[in-house]
Amino acid sequence: MALLDENRLLPVDQGVRALARALYDAVKNAPIVSPHGHTDPRWFAQDAPFADPAQLLVTPDHYVFRMLHSQGVPLESLGVPRVDGGASETDGRKIWRCFAQHYHLFRATPSRLWLDHAFETVFGFDTPLSAATADDYYDRISQALTRPEMRPRALFKRFNIEVIATTESPLDDLKWHKMIGESGWDGRVITAYRPDAVTDPDFEGFGDNIEQFCALGGQSSTSFDAYLDAHRDRRGYFKSFGATSSDHGHRTAATLNLDRAGAKALYDKVLAGQADAAEREAFRAQMLTEMAKMSVEDGLVMQIHPGSWRNHSTPVHQRFGRDKGYDIPTRTDYVAALKPLLDAVGEEPDLRVILFTLDETSYARELAPLAGVYPCLRLGPAWWFHDSFEGMWRYREMITETAGFYNTVGFNDDTRAYLSIPARHDVARRVDAGFLANLVATGRLSEEDAYEVIQDLTHRLARQAYKL
């Protein structure tokens, strides 16, 4: 018995489904272009076997452990490490049994679809995971992980990945990317510049981060101009390792364009630790505009990922650190927030700014109209909590009539979970095939155009938008 329905996510109407299936078949084996994500470059540099099923599929995946934790499962029992070095479960089999016992929690969620896709297509399972099958799953996956074809580089080829971008802090020395480049391997793994650690005054260790950051470029941290030059230096360093984009995870989309004296004064106050909450937000806003100006200079595509109240649980943040599933969507304004940046550089012909959102109410009201007129703007795909069948369909419904297809950028998997990459892209291709088939069935798109658009949405737009 297969875990997956071969017609999953395709339209129910049989006539529309037939065309959707044909469109999907045209791209199901197309290469994966993954221009934004959080896989570990160490995997591709060292090409070592994955440790065990729990470390591969449970402990690092916040989609998985946040669901289990919502039902009272302690993060320690899932192997999530504690900041203080306190005890967390290290026995992979125990972690896996806990996961399997609670697998029913994922029914009808994207995670269930992604996991079942990996279980069937990568490991060959045809019976569902449960408490009863937990040990069989664990043993078979453990055995599979010892084989050469299950190492990161082999999976890269098996998954037909054309290019994958990781995301690194500006303080990162990029040694794993250097190792990849020196290894002679032909897989294309590039980095992306994520400067939040030195542009967000509320980031842990911000003052020390600034000192270290400026020192890397031989700059003085006491000068705003020198600080900006340090960004230029690090952006150039990241470009030398293949970076074509920067990424900015601010809580809001606010931008400012202060005069130089005002920006310097704000920097001085923030650096001295004397800025209040409004001034810290103003600094983040100013730095988004500064980063956009630098993108005009150096050509890096700018991604703005606002709208998440990150690390919402203070106790969990203190106990386990960042990125432990407690990132919650918030309402986000784009029209007023982005105006200072767009007034400054919005008409620059070579600038590319990709906007994401966790606030779906902004799609039709703000994002599609903005991207439908500003030459520099493109819309990122349905992201994070909306990286799902319903989320992707709503995205297409709300933005296509105003922004069209060509002011979007295809699909980003945005994942730390390596084995979910082909599953996520498969979902996106199925959703887009169904959406296009529906347009054809209702007379809004010709069948010939649909076959061209499905190729664009699958890989061409991502290459173009991210300059790949």
Side-chain angles (χ1 to χ4, degrees):
M1 180 180 69
L3 300 179
L4 302 171
D5 184 330
E6 66 175 10
N7 289 315
R8 62 194 176 278
L9 310 182
L10 298 181
V12 174
D13 179 273
Q14 292 303 307
V16 181
R17 172 176 285 189
L19 177 56
R21 181 76 206 193
L23 290 167
Y24 166 73
D25 286 343
V27 295
K28 66 180 181 181
N29 295 320
I32 288 175
V33 178
S34 180
H36 173 88
H38 301 280
T39 52
D40 189 342
R42 182 195 303 242
W43 297 340
F44 309 109
Q46 296 182 326
D47 199 32
F50 291 105
D52 63 51
Q55 291 301 316
L56 175 63
L57 292 162
V58 181
T59 301
D61 191 343
H62 62 79
Y63 282 93
V64 170
F65 63 68
R66 78 186 305 270
M67 177 64 84
L68 273 63
H69 188 59
S70 76
Q71 290 286 305
V73 178
L75 292 179
E76 288 94 339
S77 68
L78 300 171
V80 178
R82 285 171 42 172
V83 170
D84 63 4
S88 286
E89 184 60 69
T90 58
D91 185 324
R93 190 178 293 274
K94 288 183 179 179
I95 295 169
W96 188 262
R97 286 174 175 169
C98 180
F99 168 54
Q101 180 185 351
H102 293 88
Y103 197 54
H104 65 281
L105 299 178
F106 296 96
R107 289 169 178 160
T109 68
S111 294
R112 175 65 181 259
L113 199 56
W114 302 334
L115 287 162
D116 281 352
H117 189 283
F119 293 151
E120 180 174 312
T121 66
V122 178
F123 299 108
F125 287 100
D126 58 7
T127 56
L129 177 64
S130 66
T133 61
D135 283 343
D136 180 53
Y137 262 74
Y138 191 87
D139 292 338
R140 287 173 58 181
I141 294 173
S142 295
Q143 179 60 37
L145 294 181
T146 66
R147 297 196 291 266
E149 61 266 28
M150 282 300 301
R151 293 196 177 190
R153 292 184 180 182
L155 288 172
F156 191 96
K157 292 191 175 182
R158 178 176 176 180
F159 294 161
N160 197 20
I161 298 174
E162 178 180 295
V163 58
I164 193 168
T166 64
T167 307
E168 275 73 51
S169 159
L171 306 177
D172 198 297
D173 61 8
L174 302 184
K175 67 177 182 180
W176 302 120
H177 285 274
K178 183 177 181 182
M179 186 182 294
I180 293 167
E182 292 175 347
S183 71
W185 179 53
D186 61 359
R188 188 179 178 193
V189 181
I190 62 177
T191 185
Y193 185 65
R194 179 73 173 248
D196 297 2
V198 293
T199 59
D200 179 2
D202 292 324
F203 204 97
E204 299 97 312
F206 177 75
D208 292 338
N209 294 344
I210 292 287
E211 290 288 341
Q212 181 184 348
F213 173 69
C214 289
L216 287 171
Q219 303 290 341
S220 169
S221 64
T222 61
S223 163
F224 183 58
D225 288 336
Y227 163 74
L228 294 182
D229 284 339
H231 276 287
R232 293 185 178 93
D233 176 79
R234 295 306 288 172
R235 289 166 68 100
Y237 182 70
F238 273 60
K239 286 185 69 175
S240 74
F241 288 93
T244 67
S245 67
S246 66
D247 186 42
H248 309 269
H250 294 197
R251 183 167 163 188
T252 77
T255 64
L256 280 177
N257 190 27
L258 300 173
D259 61 30
R260 190 52 66 207
K264 289 180 178 179
L266 182 60
Y267 175 75
D268 292 343
K269 198 166 186 180
V270 166
L271 192 63
Q274 298 172 350
D276 61 23
E279 290 165 328
R280 297 195 300 274
E281 173 68 351
F283 184 74
R284 287 187 288 269
Q286 179 66 25
M287 287 312 300
L288 278 182
T289 303
E290 297 291 352
M291 293 294 99
K293 292 177 180 178
M294 288 186 195
S295 285
V296 173
E297 298 171 5
D298 63 22
L300 286 184
V301 176
M302 184 178 187
Q303 302 174 91
I304 302 179
H305 278 84
S308 177
W309 186 320
R310 297 176 186 270
N311 312 303
H312 190 269
S313 170
T314 299
V316 169
H317 187 202
Q318 291 173 343
R319 190 175 180 87
F320 296 99
R322 299 177 63 85
D323 303 324
K324 295 301 179 289
Y326 274 91
D327 297 346
I328 310 298
T330 61
R331 292 184 296 273
T332 306
D333 164 69
Y334 293 88
V335 174
L338 292 173
K339 192 174 191 311
L341 182 155
L342 294 172
D343 281 346
V345 293
E347 298 296 325
E348 289 289 340
D350 297 325
L351 176 64
R352 180 74 69 246
V353 178
I354 300 174
L355 302 177
F356 292 79
T357 193
L358 292 174
D359 179 2
E360 289 189 320
T361 67
S362 66
Y363 279 142
R365 185 184 64 245
E366 300 184 37
L367 289 173
L370 284 166
V373 68
Y374 276 97
C376 71
L377 295 182
R378 297 291 184 271
L379 299 185
W383 164 57
W384 206 341
F385 294 95
H386 308 306
D387 182 5
S388 64
F389 171 78
E390 300 288 357
M392 293 176 188
W393 194 277
R394 289 192 298 267
Y395 167 82
R396 291 287 177 213
E397 283 187 323
M398 287 191 279
I399 63 94
T400 302
E401 290 183 335
T402 301
F405 294 114
Y406 297 95
N407 285 314
T408 69
V409 302
F411 179 69
N412 295 355
D413 49 74
D414 190 38
T415 185
R416 292 174 174 80
Y418 192 25
L419 299 193
S420 77
I421 290 175
R424 292 169 186 242
H425 283 262
D426 185 72
V427 169
R429 293 171 188 190
R430 289 172 180 272
V431 173
D432 285 339
F435 186 78
L436 293 172
N438 189 60
L439 291 181
V440 173
T442 53
R444 290 176 286 169
L445 188 71
S446 72
E447 190 169 324
E448 180 182 3
D449 284 348
Y451 276 99
E452 183 172 345
V453 173
I454 194 70
Q455 297 286 345
D456 294 330
L457 299 181
T458 299
H459 52 91
R460 291 173 185 158
L461 287 178
R463 291 195 194 100
Q464 294 170 4
Y466 284 88
K467 303 180 180 180
L468 298 169

